[in-house]
Amino acid sequence: MNSTTFAFIDEDAKKEIRRSLLKAVALPGYIVPFASREMPVARGWGTGGLQITLSIILERDVLKVIDQGCDASVNAVNIRDFITEVTGVKETVNTSEASIIQTRHRIPEHEFAKDEKQILVFQVPTPEVLTTVEPDTAKQKQMHANSDYAKLWVLLYEDTSQYGDSRISNRYPVLINDHYVMDPSPIPKYDIPRMDNSPVLQLFGAGREKRIYAIPPYTSVKPLKFDDREFKVESFSGISCERCGAQNVFFDEVRRETGNHYFCSDTEYCDQHLEKSNAS
Amino acid sequence: MLLEVQDLSKIYGNSCGSCLALTGEEHGRAICPECASVVAINSISLTARKNEILGIVGESGSGKSTLLQLIYQDITASCGKIFFNGLTDDRNQPLNILKAMPATVSHLRNKEMSMIYQNPHLGLNFLFSAGGNIAQRIIGAGERNYEKIRKGALGFIDRIDMETSRIDDYPENFSGGQQQRIQIAKALSSSPKLLLLDEPTTGLDVSVQAKILDLIKELQQEIGFSMIIVSHDLGVINHLTDITVVMKHGTLVEYGLTDQILEDPQHPYTQLLVSSIL
Amino acid sequence: MSYVAIKGGADSIRASKRFFRDSICLAKGIGDDELQKGLIFSCDRIMSEGALYSEKLAAEAMRRTGGDLFEAAFYLRAHRSTCRRIGEAEPLNSSSMRVLRRISSAFKDIEGGQILGPSCDYVIRLFRVKIGDTPEFSAARSGKSGLPPILTGNDSTPSGVECLRRRDQIIVLENKEEKPFDVSRSFPLPPYPRSALMQVMSRGETGAMLAFSYTSMRGYGDVHPTIGDLRIGYLSVEFIHPFTGNKVKIGEIRATACESIGSFNSDPKDGKLRLATGFGFCIGFNETKAIAMSILDMAMHHKGYSIGGIDIATNPEIIMHHVDGIESSGFANHFKLPHYVTFQADLQVLEKAKEQTDE
């Protein structure tokens, strides 16, 4: 049981995953099936993202792993430890220093390098955006082929009629490159506009559902919305981080007896901001 | 010409190749004696013009509903051709929609043609509200402006003589007659050129039936579209249609002006049908 | 070897039982302590699905069944039938649990704190010895006995969902039942009272409940709940003394409780929008089962806004009759009984039908 294979997965499996990744990059937003391997962490805990990262990682890569925006979150720590253990690559919390960033539920606040050299790997629970309106896999595939997203639009119509806006709080459906509608993984709405025309290669892995998809750098990503309606993201107006004082970022809301407290969701951003404000 | 159907057939089972020749009205059967395949539709040709109302009558099992489903592309034909309203291929030749790309078929089904089913569960999505059902077609026809979609849905709810305040109610909370009205609103909301109706009033109260037939007729005169209506009820056919087609054993046995067919039926089967009603 | 001996069956059965005892049930020498502490999750599944809290009998059931959890739970249920009911304990409140582990995925931080406790969630499942922070398994350490008596500061740790409830953001279902239903005394007819459904699920088979709740999570129903509060720990069982009328503590049980939060819906009480929740509870430590139960409870009482069409987990009729492991495993295994009379009849019908259609 000695593991001499670099990055845990055997080379043939990596090749297969890379081929799926290439197909996914060539067809932005299209869901590519792959023979998801069993990882030593449980299904649903990031095995899709993990397989992608392990398939693309090189000795020279620098790895950052976050969960809910936080580098120190238990699952992030666990996954990062495992990847560095089986690859020996350098780890970092610094977004700009990382070449591969594996994430669950957030996109880091810092802007990415414009040179298209950073890769963002998303852990995905439900890769199929149509699941909410059509659970049958065969019908989903046909609907994508026909660009038939009417049911998603009706869901949006119904929510707008009854509640004034969509009830979807995260995993908001996005139109990729004006063609496929795609599930962006459970990131908040706040992160959706930040996917659009991004310089990073965005890769999505769903281990349990055995699917891979991708958004190449500088691709258009538009939330599904009516022409005469605005896409509203989470609002934190007038709020600043209690720790570092940052504004206009995504905040974690901590509810205590004393009321609501707000802190930067991206802990690395918070640290850097704090350092900067202390220095000045 | 809005719709032209040529030599359309639908065979269920592994056809021996001679099924079409061995079945139909002249043989008095729809089941092939060679291979036991069921020939639901046997070499039917017909046309529908702009604003024309065509009725299809026949006993149950004669293939009339199947014919409608073949036209609407709910099921796939075994052979034949269907042309629709000047639709052409990339060489400008009339396009047989049986050979069309899925996107073309979707467009036809979402916009140009609409179907109203006897069973509202087939025509309505019971998990969407009445307004949502109508919106689905308006959206399917390409509209992406919420206010226009909402206004459109409200307009159609009003047109089918229903309280507009009920727009957000779900189909299960409506009566059978109201469900059919919502189907009509949904079907017409994409401004289709052709409306297909499969026994739209069968199973409803007689008084409700009459109101719905009047509504359909009114809307047809007001908006202007062609219709093909399948019914086993000659009263419905008489009330609505210009042209009547009589079917038996998957074949077309008589085709003519509705008045003429009802006054002076030629085929013995039609004579039987008419005499049993009048 | 004849399968059904018309005569001589008694001898075969006796021999088969002996064979089973001598070749399968080889755990005779393993003591109660090893089984109860070393195989705590097996023990807890047996007690929970067997609907009887007795670690002693759970260990004994394991020894008698070669560790077949269905069979072992069955032993406990069968034993229950021999016990007269003395009375009813006072209701347990999961917020008074002496928690060993308590987490909430809904909030980063909660009142009472996130307590990771003992968990294999983050263990890297590799047989290889050295990996990350996975502690080395050593035989020497297993000598030390079991779980530490961890106490949280407070006697009571409210559910992580409590802060939302205080803000009136949670749908509180109206309780129309005067006292909880007891399916072990009589079985309800539909519509099933919630307490009856809860009891059936609390006794339910982990795998079945997991599968049904998984259909809901995957899109045949509502999508992706959030765990508001998941806890394992100890609960005091209290009883009103029949003579003194005083409340007396008669012991402690291990238990698991989970409260899940779903999508928002209009509250049947006043039409206002609030979040739906579901509750799961079972005796012993079994987080998978408590999570699954909370999702099923939620699915059955708040249909959510999935518009996929088919849903299984929302149907009380399905859940009520299909999650009990004793019933389902018993029935699946009954197909091993001789069925030659019915099967012979099947064959005759087939032959007659064939005669007709082949003509």
Side-chain angles (χ1 to χ4, degrees), chain C residues 169-184:
Chain C
Q169 288 182 318
I170 298 289
I171 299 177
V172 180
L173 292 173
E174 195 193 341
N175 181 18
K176 292 174 192 133
E177 303 175 54
E178 266 178 37
K179 62 184 288 226
F181 207 92
D182 185 352
V183 297
S184 72

Side-chain angles (χ1 to χ4, degrees), chain B residues 211-267:
Chain B
K211 278 187 193 149
I212 288 189
L213 293 176
D214 285 342
L215 175 71
I216 293 171
K217 198 161 186 175
E218 251 173 59
L219 289 169
Q220 195 269 340
Q221 281 163 359
E222 203 181 301
I223 303 170
F225 47 84
S226 309
M227 293 203 292
I228 302 180
I229 180 163
V230 157
S231 182
H232 66 281
D233 182 347
L234 282 182
V236 172
I237 297 296
N238 190 21
H239 189 74
L240 285 180
T241 68
D242 310 318
I243 307 278
T244 294
V245 169
V246 185
M247 284 184 65
K248 195 161 194 249
H249 294 311
T251 44
L252 209 150
V253 299
E254 196 158 352
Y255 187 172
L257 292 171
T258 301
D259 294 345
Q260 245 172 30
I261 284 186
L262 294 180
E263 290 286 314
D264 183 19
Q266 300 297 307
H267 192 276

Side-chain angles (χ1 to χ4, degrees), chain A residues 167, chain C residues 161 164-165 167-174 194 259-278 297-298 301-304:
Chain A
R167 277 199 287 173
Chain C
V161 181
L164 295 173
R165 215 172 270 120
R167 288 168 194 224
D168 197 23
Q169 288 182 318
I170 298 289
I171 299 177
V172 180
L173 292 173
E174 195 193 341
R194 185 168 175 220
E259 195 166 11
S260 291
I261 311 168
S263 51
F264 70 75
N265 244 312
S266 94
D267 192 331
K269 193 172 60 200
D270 55 9
K272 291 221 172 99
L273 298 179
R274 293 191 182 90
L275 290 162
T277 59
D297 177 44
M298 182 155 67
H301 295 94
H302 310 276
K303 294 220 169 172

Side-chain angles (χ1 to χ4, degrees), chain B residues 8-198:
Chain B
L8 194 68
S9 298
K10 176 68 186 175
I11 305 170
Y12 290 99
N14 296 321
S15 172
C16 59
S18 326
C19 306
L20 296 178
L22 296 170
T23 59
E25 165 50 13
E26 54 184 303
H27 299 279
R29 64 186 168 223
I31 297 171
C32 177
E34 286 292 317
C35 65
S37 293
V38 177
V39 181
I41 297 292
N42 193 338
S43 318
I44 283 192
S45 299
L46 56 82
T47 56
R49 289 179 186 78
K50 205 166 166 246
N51 287 342
E52 192 172 74
I53 306 178
L54 197 79
I56 305 178
V57 285
E59 60 193 2
S60 66
S62 61
K64 52 193 192 308
S65 290
T66 308
L67 179 59
L68 221 53
Q69 287 163 13
L70 286 172
I71 293 171
Y72 194 56
Q73 305 288 300
D74 268 347
I75 52 178
T76 314
S78 305
C79 54
K81 288 173 185 164
I82 301 174
F83 300 100
F84 190 85
N85 191 42
L87 205 66
T88 54
D89 60 17
D90 44 16
R91 280 174 301 172
N92 238 3
Q93 296 299 307
L95 175 70
N96 175 9
I97 61 176
L98 301 184
K99 307 266 187 242
M101 297 285 285
T104 310
V105 175
S106 288
H107 173 73
L108 273 173
R109 285 168 53 94
N110 291 335
K111 170 93 179 71
E112 307 290 349
M113 291 196 265
S114 286
M115 174 89 118
I116 291 169
Y117 299 86
Q118 179 184 348
N119 179 354
H121 279 271
L122 292 175
L124 297 176
N125 186 332
F126 273 58
L127 298 162
F128 291 149
S129 64
N133 268 286
I134 299 168
Q136 187 175 11
R137 259 196 98 81
I138 302 178
I139 291 163
E143 185 58 64
R144 294 290 182 269
N145 180 300
Y146 174 76
E147 287 305 326
K148 284 187 186 161
I149 295 165
R150 182 75 175 173
K151 279 200 188 105
L154 281 166
F156 273 99
I157 295 273
D158 185 49
R159 260 178 140 152
I160 53 168
D161 297 327
M162 198 176 270
E163 295 282 331
T164 48
S165 61
R166 296 206 64 188
I167 185 167
D168 294 327
D169 283 357
Y170 287 81
E172 62 185 18
N173 300 329
F174 291 95
S175 70
Q178 287 171 321
Q179 288 172 356
Q180 290 310 69
R181 283 171 189 267
I182 299 168
Q183 268 208 80
I184 292 167
K186 178 178 186 175
L188 295 179
S189 63
S190 66
S191 312
K193 296 193 178 74
L194 177 64
L195 183 63
L196 306 167
L197 304 101
D198 188 4

Side-chain angles (χ1 to χ4, degrees), chain A residues 146 157-158 161 227-229, chain B residues 102 129 144-147 150:
Chain A
N146 290 340
Y157 159 85
E158 299 240 298
S161 304
D227 295 342
D228 55 337
R229 294 279 155 150
Chain B
S129 64
R144 294 290 182 269
N145 180 300
Y146 174 76
E147 287 305 326
R150 182 75 175 173

Side-chain angles (χ1 to χ4, degrees), chain A residues 242 252-263, chain C residues 167:
Chain A
E242 275 186 35
D252 287 339
E253 202 178 304
V254 180
R255 298 180 173 202
R256 297 214 180 102
E257 288 285 318
T258 47
N260 289 0
H261 301 263
Y262 294 91
F263 302 96
Chain C
R167 288 168 194 224

